[in-house]
């Protein structure tokens, strides 16, 4: 049965105004995106009533403030559609029932970091991964929103001698220059601090509380020695440096998660020599010839690493999917997804945000010369979590 249509043509007086200029500076607010999104929302949710009055309300709000505030239902719908259409929603994720945490009132770095830790705790859910989106304060004409530098909330340090995750060597050096200190004996899986930047505080460091970082130690179903390699990986992939764009409004900090695809860990993170580089030691333990690429030792090692990842996550009862299942899901998604459009809700990655996640800069905002950046104590976030749990 077709859905009810949105009430007829909207009278001209209720349509959103065109983009205008003020003091020779063009307004950056996407009015077309706002109107398209609101129409889309009201078609999907006829119980919200006719779109005309809402467009009139938004027209007045944009005229008065230069932006508008989404209702809770609009925000939830926009975030879910953005995740569905982005391609980041792994197979089996019930995107219509995704939990959207509306934290648009938070602009201070400590509060954002504390709720990022809470996101990790809630998402893990004793291994049965819960897909979540946490939305912080948006950019407005008067107050830009916060941003998280890290690519994911949990990433491992990379050191100049090749120890750890080499993808984040530059980021590790940057946060060390900002005040972070690695363990006395650096290891392969040292969790990097969160870097949260706000316009009024600059970039701030926060230790991720160990109690919210669920990790899975890797063992192999057929190779008893595999566990002695000491490999492990974190349970929840929370992408944290993409901005959420919904109806002309940009939320620069909107961490979201589904669950891992096994090959993302086994092949791209553990096996790759530009990441953790574990393929060689696995190949040597298997007795493979690593002096020539024609022995395909990298491929054989990657297969065993991927087997170990899937086996270990299943053993720990942590949700994960394999790359074959995911390939079928992606093909189905490509066939059925909406065609790209600039005004549809989306998660987007800016080039500058991608550089911050790997190189530890450039800063989104120019810090005040008097500002200093110091790592916050791990107890501070732990205390925030305890207070929330008690409340």
């Amino acid at each position: 049965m077709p859905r009810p249509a949105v009430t007829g043509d909207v009278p001209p007086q209720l349509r959103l105004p065109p983009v205008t200029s003020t003091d020779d500076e063009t307004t950056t607010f996407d009015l077309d995106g706002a109107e398209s999104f609101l129409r889309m929302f009201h078609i999907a949710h006829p119980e919200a009533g006719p779109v005309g009055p809402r467009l009139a309300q938004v027209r007045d709000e944009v005229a008065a403030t230069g932006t508008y505030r989404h209702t809770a239902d609009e925000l939830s719908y926009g975030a879910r559609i953005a995740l569905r259409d982005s391609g980041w929603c792994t197979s089996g994720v019930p995107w219509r029932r995704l939990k959207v945490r509306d934290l648009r009132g938070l602009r201070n770095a400590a509060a954002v970091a504390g709720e990022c830790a809470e996101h990790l705790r809630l998402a893990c859910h004793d291994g049965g991964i819960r897909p979540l989106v946490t939305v912080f304060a948006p950019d407005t004409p008067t107050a830009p929103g916060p941003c998280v530098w890290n690519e994911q909330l949990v990433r491992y340090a990379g050191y100049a001698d090749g120890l750890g995750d080499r993808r984040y060597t530059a980021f590790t050096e940057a946060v060390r220059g900002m005040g972070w200190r690695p363990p006395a004996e650096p290891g392969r899986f040292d969790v990097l601090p969160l870097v949260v930047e706000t316009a009024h505080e600059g970039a701030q460091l926060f230790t991720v509380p160990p109690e919210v970082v669920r990790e899975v130690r890797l063992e192999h179903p057929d190779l008893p020695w595999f566990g002695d390699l000491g490999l492990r990986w974190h349970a929840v992939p929370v992408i944290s440096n993409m901005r959420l764009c919904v109806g002309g409004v940009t939320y620069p900090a909107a961490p979201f998660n589904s669950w891992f695809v096994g090959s993302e860990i086994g092949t791209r993170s553990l096996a790759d020599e530009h990441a953790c580089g574990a393929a060689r030691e696995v190949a040597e333990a298997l007795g493979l010839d690593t002096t020539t690429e024609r022995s395909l030792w990298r491929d054989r090692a990657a297969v065993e690493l991927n087997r170990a990842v899937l086996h270990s996550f299943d053993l720990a009862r942590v949700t994960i999917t394999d790359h074959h299942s995911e390939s079928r899901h992606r093909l189905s998604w490509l066939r059925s997804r909406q065609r790209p459009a600039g005004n549809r809700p989306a998660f987007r990655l800016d080039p500058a945000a991608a550089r911050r996640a790997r190189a530890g800069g450039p800063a989104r905002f120019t810090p005040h010369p008097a500002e200093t950046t110091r790592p916050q104590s791990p107890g501070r976030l732990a205390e925030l979590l305890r207070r929330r749990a008690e409340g």
Side-chain angles (χ1 to χ4, degrees), residues 155-280:
R155 295 278 81 174
Y156 296 117
Y159 300 102
D161 62 0
L163 183 66
D165 193 333
R166 295 160 193 159
R167 294 173 295 183
Y168 303 104
T169 301
F171 188 94
T172 302
E173 287 301 309
V175 295
R176 290 182 74 170
M178 296 165 69
W180 180 67
R181 295 292 175 263
E185 295 185 9
R188 299 176 73 171
F189 301 102
D190 298 335
V191 177
L192 285 163
L194 287 181
V195 182
V196 181
E197 185 183 3
T198 65
H200 61 287
E201 297 168 300
Q204 303 284 321
L205 300 187
F206 297 88
T207 300
V208 181
E211 61 268 25
V212 302
V213 181
R214 170 79 180 267
E215 293 180 303
V216 177
R217 295 186 177 276
L218 303 187
E219 54 186 83
H220 195 280
D222 301 323
L223 304 173
W225 50 263
F226 195 97
D228 296 335
L229 297 177
L231 301 177
R232 63 179 188 265
W233 206 254
H234 58 98
V236 189
V238 186
I239 298 171
S240 49
N241 68 332
M242 298 183 76
R243 59 188 174 98
L244 172 62
C245 302
V246 178
V249 180
T250 296
Y251 301 91
F256 65 93
N257 73 279
S258 55
W259 44 71
F260 271 120
V261 179
S263 58
E264 172 67 23
I265 302 172
T267 300
R268 295 183 60 188
S269 297
L270 291 174
D272 194 333
E273 288 195 348
H274 297 291
C276 294
R280 184 175 294 274

Side-chain angles (χ1 to χ4, degrees), residues 65 78 100 135 224 226 297 299 308 319 343 355 361 363:
T65 67
V100 179
V135 184
F226 195 97
W297 61 269
D299 304 73
T319 310
N343 55 15
R355 288 196 298 273

